[in-house]
Every structure is written in structure tokens, then in C-alpha cells.
Amino acid sequence: MSDRPGGRPPLSVRRGKRAPFEFVEGIPEHARPIINTWLHDVLYGGDTRGDVWTLVSALRLPFQASYTDDLISGLSQDDDLYLDTLDFITFTLPQHREPLDLHLRVAGSAWRVDLTDGGLRRVVPDEALETYKKALDTAPSAAQHLSGAWEHAFGRHPDAGDAWGDAIRAVEAALHQIISPAHAKGTLGSMKSELRQASGGKFIIRAAGADPKDTLLGMLEAVPYENGRHGTERSRADLDTARIVVFQATALVAAVGEGLIERADAESIEGES
């Protein structure tokens, strides 16, 4: 998934004859005909009238439609409603995800189809997306929180507070058994405190040049506390900062999932349990 609009810029853009392409927030006008055709093909394959009625009802579209042309005509008046429709279809019908993702990618849309879970997600750098996929292979509880964080950070209806909170919970779930295995629950704050008091040699971080404990503590110190904890107001969370926290959490959870962060005395702990 390229994070550059439309992939390779045209020759005229590279020569400075045209302005660089920007991501398009709504339905790209130059791609509207092919996206309309995609939607028509999706609905034509089944009970067209029934499917159109279902879309209108499920999304509470503010117009009446019985056939695909009626639906497309109504959606063409409001790009947000059109994006909601694409989001709904790609979530419920996995077989139609890849063609639409290709259309959006080529057109330079600010949105991509989540090929794994469905729905639309905002464009993110390729490297971040690959790290996210790796992170989903870790403990189920951490992966579930991380998936929620990405949905709230990059989905169609972003929420900074929920993105931030889910990101913190993903870190806590991933690192709990490594940093605080003796406790029933580990929070970001309690794990930082335990790391400060821990003796050397308890942790292993692959390819770390510095002391593993200090490196791990530095990683956690870089993750800011969630707004709403420690006396802060949850409403003060802003989306740009929340997205940074999500990227930080993703990297930490992925590192755990790949076995790059471990507890040195894990075997003895398992033997005692």
C-alpha cells in the first residue's frame, strides 16, 4: 500500500510542470466512473432492489432508492455518504475488497480498503502497515486492543480518546507477562515503576546495544499516558497525537510478537506457576 498519491508521479509532475498530487479526501472525480461501475457490479450480482433497500436502511441514507442508478445518483451528492457505503460494503462482502482497494489506490484516495478486516481506513505508510500486521500475531488480547486503536485512529469515524486508550491497553496486554507476571493486572504506570526498581538481567531485548532494562523503560517512557488517566481530561486528546501513540504501541506490540522483547527468567516463572 503506497503512501504516495497514485503511486509513481506522472512525468509532468516530476519535471515540475504540474503540482504534486495530493491525497483526495472524498471520492476522486477522476475515479468516480470506475467506482460507480464497481458499485453497480457489486449490486447487480444479487437481489439488486433488496440490497439497495438494505443499504439505504442500514446507513439511514437521506433519500429513496430502489435500483443501483438511484443509489449512485443519491450518493453522488454527498461524498461522506458514498464513503460510508463503500465502508459498509467492504466490511460485509470480503470478495469485493481488492478491486475497490486498487481503484482507490490508483486514484490517490486518502482511503484504502482494509483487506483483512474490511471497511475503509485512512492511508498510512507501508512500513507502519507491515508492522501492524506483524503485531496482530501477538497475544489475542493485545491484538484485539490494537485493532480497535487502528480503527479509531484511521477508520471512517475517528475518535482520538478511544484510539489512545486502546493503544495503551494493547501495550499493557502485550507487556504484562514480561514486566509484571506476578500481578493480576499491569498498567502502563505500574510497569514503568516496576522497571525502575527491577534488577539488571531480568529482561532480554534482541539486538539492543544498551542495557535491556533501560531500553525497555525508555520505550515505555516514550508512550504518553492516556488522556483521562492521572487527572487529565479525556476530551483534550487530539487525533494527530493519538495516531502517534498508536504507531508507538504498534511497534512495541510487534516487538513482543516477534520475540524481540522477553523476560530472562520466563522459564523459572512458568515452572513456579
Side-chain angles (χ1 to χ4, degrees), residues 132-245:
Y132 170 63
K133 291 177 180 178
K134 291 178 182 177
L136 293 182
D137 291 333
T138 188
S141 57
Q144 181 179 358
H145 291 307
L146 193 63
S147 178
W150 273 67
E151 177 62 31
H152 291 124
F154 305 108
R156 280 286 298 134
H157 303 286
D159 185 298
D162 285 343
W164 199 320
D166 279 338
I168 296 299
R169 283 184 281 277
V171 170
E172 292 169 343
L175 289 173
H176 172 215
Q177 289 301 316
I178 294 175
I179 298 176
S180 307
H183 300 129
K185 182 179 180 182
T187 66
L188 187 61
S190 68
M191 289 192 291
K192 288 179 182 179
S193 177
E194 187 155 344
L195 274 172
R196 294 188 189 101
Q197 300 173 28
S199 59
K202 276 194 172 183
F203 307 100
I204 300 172
I205 298 183
R206 310 293 178 192
D211 177 77
K213 186 191 83 168
D214 291 341
T215 301
L216 184 53
L217 180 58
M219 291 177 179
L220 289 188
E221 292 284 13
V223 180
Y225 287 111
E226 173 190 357
N227 280 273
R229 295 192 189 185
H230 305 281
T232 58
E233 295 181 15
R234 186 177 184 279
S235 60
R236 293 179 60 185
D238 68 275
L239 193 56
D240 287 340
T241 303
R243 285 172 174 162
I244 292 173
V245 174

Side-chain angles (χ1 to χ4, degrees), residues 12-189:
S12 58
V13 172
R14 302 201 305 274
R15 294 176 60 210
K17 302 294 185 181
R18 298 170 67 189
F21 290 174
E22 301 290 340
F23 285 115
V24 180
E25 285 291 333
I27 303 296
E29 284 302 320
H30 47 278
R32 195 176 292 273
I34 197 169
I35 293 175
N36 287 346
T37 299
W38 173 88
L39 179 57
H40 190 281
D41 290 345
V42 168
L43 296 174
Y44 185 76
D47 175 12
T48 301
R49 293 185 67 184
D51 290 341
V52 169
W53 288 340
T54 297
L55 280 170
V56 171
S57 177
L59 296 174
R60 302 186 182 184
L61 300 177
F63 54 82
Q64 296 298 315
S66 297
Y67 296 96
T68 307
D69 289 344
D70 302 333
L71 179 67
I72 291 175
S73 177
L75 294 176
S76 296
Q77 307 305 310
D78 190 321
D79 279 1
D80 281 326
L81 294 180
Y82 208 142
L83 289 171
D84 283 347
T85 301
L86 302 182
D87 179 71
F88 182 86
I89 291 174
T90 55
F91 180 78
T92 55
L93 300 174
Q95 67 272 27
H96 296 294
R97 291 172 185 169
E98 289 193 17
L100 179 62
D101 183 63
L102 178 61
H103 298 329
L104 295 175
R105 182 202 307 266
V106 171
S109 171
W111 300 94
R112 296 286 188 271
V113 178
D114 185 327
L115 298 178
T116 302
D117 297 324
L120 299 185
R121 283 208 175 136
R122 185 168 290 278
V123 171
V124 297
D126 288 343
E127 296 81 1
L129 188 64
E130 289 304 314
T131 302
Y132 170 63
K133 291 177 180 178
K134 291 178 182 177
L136 293 182
D137 291 333
T138 188
S141 57
Q144 181 179 358
H145 291 307
L146 193 63
S147 178
W150 273 67
E151 177 62 31
H152 291 124
F154 305 108
R156 280 286 298 134
H157 303 286
D159 185 298
D162 285 343
W164 199 320
D166 279 338
I168 296 299
R169 283 184 281 277
V171 170
E172 292 169 343
L175 289 173
H176 172 215
Q177 289 301 316
I178 294 175
I179 298 176
S180 307
H183 300 129
K185 182 179 180 182
T187 66
L188 187 61

